[in-house]
C-alpha cells in the first residue's frame, strides 16, 4: 500500500512514517496542503493520512479539495481536536476516519 502522509510536525511525521514502513507500507511525506494536493493528483496512492492543522490550509479544506479532484482513496484525519463537533466536521469534509492526538501507533495501524 502506498500512503501519502501529510503532516507538518517533522518529528511526528518521522514516527508515523517509521511505523507504517515497518508494517510494509510505502510512505511519501509532505508537510503542506498545496504539495499534498499536487502529489495526490499526480501520483497513484492508496491512502492519505492527513493532519488537520497545516501551515497553508486547514486539513478539512484539503480533504474537500482532494475529493473535488476525484480522488476517492481512504483518508484518515489526525487531529488534536477532541470534540464530537470536530469529528463530524472532519468526516463531513470527506475523511473516512478520524484519530485524535495523542494516539498509539498500534491504533493508527489498525485504522
Amino acid at each position: 500500500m502506498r500512503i501519502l502522509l501529510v503532516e507538518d510536525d517533522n518529528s511526528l511525521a518521522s514516527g508515523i512514517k517509521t511505523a507504517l514502513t515497518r508494517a510494509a507500507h510505502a510512505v511519501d511525506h509532505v508537510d503542506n496542503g498545496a504539495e499534498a494536493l499536487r502529489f495526490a493528483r499526480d501520483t497513484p496512492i492508496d491512502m492519505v493520512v492527513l493532519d488537520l492543522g497545516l501551515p497553508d490550509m486547514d486539513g478539512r479544506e484539503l480533504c474537500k479539495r482532494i475529493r473535488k479532484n476525484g480522488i476517492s482513496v481512504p483518508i484518515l484525519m489526525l487531529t488534536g481536536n477532541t470534540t464530537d463537533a470536530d469529528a463530524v466536521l472532519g468526516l463531513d469534509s470527506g475523511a473516512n476516519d478520524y484519530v485524535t492526538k495523542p494516539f498509539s501507533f498500534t491504533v493508527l495501524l489498525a485504522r
Side-chain angles (χ1 to χ4, degrees), residues 5-16 29-32 51 53-55 101:
L5 172 60
V6 188
E7 172 62 63
D8 64 325
D9 179 331
N10 286 326
S11 178
L12 179 57
S14 177
I16 293 170
H29 171 234
V30 298
D31 62 3
N32 66 73
D51 183 27
L54 298 171
K101 298 176 188 176

Side-chain angles (χ1 to χ4, degrees), residues 28-77:
D28 297 288
H29 171 234
V30 298
D31 62 3
N32 66 73
E35 191 176 348
L37 188 55
R38 274 192 303 276
F39 192 95
R41 281 193 307 236
D42 298 342
T43 308
I45 55 173
D46 300 300
M47 181 179 186
V48 177
V49 176
L50 172 61
D51 183 27
L52 184 62
L54 298 171
D56 60 341
M57 73 176 71
D58 182 84
R60 290 180 293 251
E61 179 59 30
L62 175 57
C63 191
K64 289 177 188 176
R65 290 181 187 189
I66 288 171
R67 295 302 189 214
K68 284 182 184 177
N69 276 270
I71 301 164
S72 60
V73 300
I75 298 175
L76 174 63
M77 194 168 283

